[in-house]
Amino acid sequence: MSGIVDFAYVLPSGRARVEDLSRSSGLPADQIQRITVTPEWPVLAPGEQPWDLAIQAARTVLDRTGVDRATIGKVVYAGSGEWEPAFWSPAAKAADVLGLREAHCMEVVNFCNSASPALQLACDETASARSEHVLVLLGDRLSQLVDYEDPESKALFNFADAAAAVLVGRQGGEFEILHSQQRTDASWADYYSADREDFVTRVRRRGRRSGLREAYLKNLAELVDLTLDSLGRSREDVARLLVNQTDRTMHEELLANLGIARERSVFNYHRYAHQGPADTFIALADLKAEGRLNAGDLILLCTSGVGFNWGVTAVAYEPKPAAPRAA
């Protein structure tokens, strides 16, 4: 079956700080930090671009795996669609820079949920043998879409920036992709949208409709159960459940509702805030680097995004034996 051969992430060099947001918004610093959790977090510095960070992550993956670049049949760039310049393909830019001459390039726009449909597309592409490998790039400029002078936008103040690259292959993956499933509750489509003025895009919350928290918990829990049912597994079989780092208390409530111990998830709010579609791969990379994964572990990558969209991708960890050292 198709699987994740390797992946990497890159953080930007800029920093956002609670005290700066407090001055710009007029809100008390402690009120903002209840949302961000951390007093400072990584954001794009002037001149940095998310697609450039994604290319850096892709170089790491390609160099580390040594994969023949001619076998990469598709490059998928996933995110919000708010990348610069407009009317332009970051996937094609990445393919050109990386020398991927045989790849078809495309974008997937599903906001912070975009990793889930992008992985499903990559899995379908490789499983059908249309491509031996697919390169999925995740990157957004979320921090640049927030109006920090608007107190009504405070729920978005934890938006941060990072990029990731995920190489999916027809065989040889350390993380076998078992199942991927998404859903949308279209009734929330108008809850957020953006204003554009003088080439600046700012996301705004529209209206005062209540119930989003409940919708988030309900839809993600149902997708988790549907995914487990499709695999003939149960909640007790989940070794790790990783989610977008958007709201720590909602994360904790989701785990409690599912009966999954907090220790079986990862909480990175205090380190990175919300890194968009890269969140779950940052958490997965940390688990692997720290040796906290075991062969056969069932891992659920749970994502969500405005629209409103939810996705769950189930993977099984199958570590590859280390290459023998020369005598």
Side-chain angles (χ1 to χ4, degrees):
M1 293 182 67
S2 297
I4 297 170
V5 178
D6 195 11
F7 63 97
Y9 70 89
V10 174
L11 298 174
S13 62
R15 307 294 289 181
R17 295 175 175 83
V18 164
E19 60 264 30
D20 296 332
L21 273 58
S22 177
R23 282 193 293 270
S24 62
S25 67
L27 294 171
D30 62 339
Q31 186 179 136
I32 295 174
Q33 191 159 336
R34 282 197 294 272
I35 296 166
T36 65
V37 180
T38 178
E40 63 176 58
W41 54 98
V43 296
L44 292 165
E48 281 187 318
Q49 295 286 0
W51 47 265
D52 192 45
L53 299 183
I55 290 171
Q56 292 178 44
R59 286 190 193 279
T60 296
V61 168
L62 297 177
D63 290 346
R64 198 156 56 194
T65 59
V67 66
D68 182 353
R69 300 188 184 202
T71 67
I72 299 176
K74 192 177 289 289
V75 176
V76 181
Y77 193 104
S80 69
E82 287 294 337
W83 35 73
E84 293 291 341
F87 202 73
W88 178 80
S89 171
K93 178 65 175 179
D96 183 51
V97 172
L98 296 168
L100 306 179
R101 307 301 177 204
E102 308 300 321
H104 168 239
C105 303
M106 62 177 293
E107 285 71 41
V108 169
V109 175
N110 213 232
F111 308 95
C112 296
N113 186 57
S114 59
S116 186
L119 284 176
Q120 182 172 17
L121 189 155
C123 190
D124 292 346
E125 178 81 6
T126 54
S128 67
R130 286 191 297 268
S131 297
E132 186 173 343
H133 294 98
V134 172
L135 181 63
V136 175
L137 304 177
L138 309 171
D140 257 325
R141 54 184 190 97
L142 294 180
S143 71
Q144 298 178 351
L145 305 180
V146 181
D147 184 352
Y148 297 111
E149 296 181 356
D150 176 19
E152 291 297 311
S153 297
K154 65 182 180 182
L156 309 179
F157 281 7
N158 69 338
F159 276 14
D161 306 307
V166 185
L167 183 66
V168 176
R170 195 160 66 235
Q171 56 187 359
E174 274 201 316
F175 294 89
E176 183 181 351
I177 300 175
L178 304 175
H179 185 79
S180 185
Q181 188 162 349
Q182 302 85 39
R183 70 163 48 164
T184 298
D185 182 346
S187 68
W188 292 96
D190 297 323
Y191 192 76
Y192 281 108
S193 60
D195 294 329
R196 286 193 178 94
E197 185 175 346
D198 297 328
F199 304 102
V200 175
T201 301
R202 293 287 184 259
V203 177
R204 308 286 185 193
R205 187 179 69 176
R206 311 295 184 180
R208 298 290 179 180
R209 179 183 173 187
S210 62
L212 180 57
R213 183 185 187 90
E214 292 75 16
Y216 174 95
L217 294 168
K218 173 179 179 293
N219 281 285
L220 205 45
E222 288 179 358
L223 272 185
V224 165
D225 285 338
L226 285 171
T227 297
L228 292 172
D229 287 347
S230 74
L231 300 174
R233 310 289 288 272
S234 69
R235 295 176 181 179
E236 290 73 26
D237 296 323
V238 178
R240 299 286 178 179
L241 187 145
L242 310 179
V243 305
N244 287 140
Q245 307 281 295
T246 54
D247 184 311
R248 182 175 60 181
T249 60
M250 200 152 55
H251 185 167
E252 291 168 339
E253 189 171 349
L254 174 67
L255 293 172
N257 292 349
L258 292 171
I260 293 177
R262 194 178 193 277
E263 294 72 26
R264 287 155 65 189
S265 191
V266 172
F267 288 75
N268 271 333
Y269 302 87
H270 64 295
R271 301 169 65 196
Y272 305 126
H274 172 40
Q275 295 287 352
D279 267 333
T280 54
F281 283 98
I282 292 173
L284 190 61
D286 288 349
L287 288 172
K288 182 182 174 184
E290 294 163 9
R292 293 193 284 154
L293 296 176
N294 298 308
D297 275 355
L298 174 62
I299 304 163
L300 301 185
L301 309 178
C302 302
T303 53
S304 61
V306 297
F308 278 82
N309 307 291
W310 293 268
V312 174
T313 301
V315 301
Y317 182 50
E318 301 294 345
K320 303 303 174 187
R325 293 186 178 183

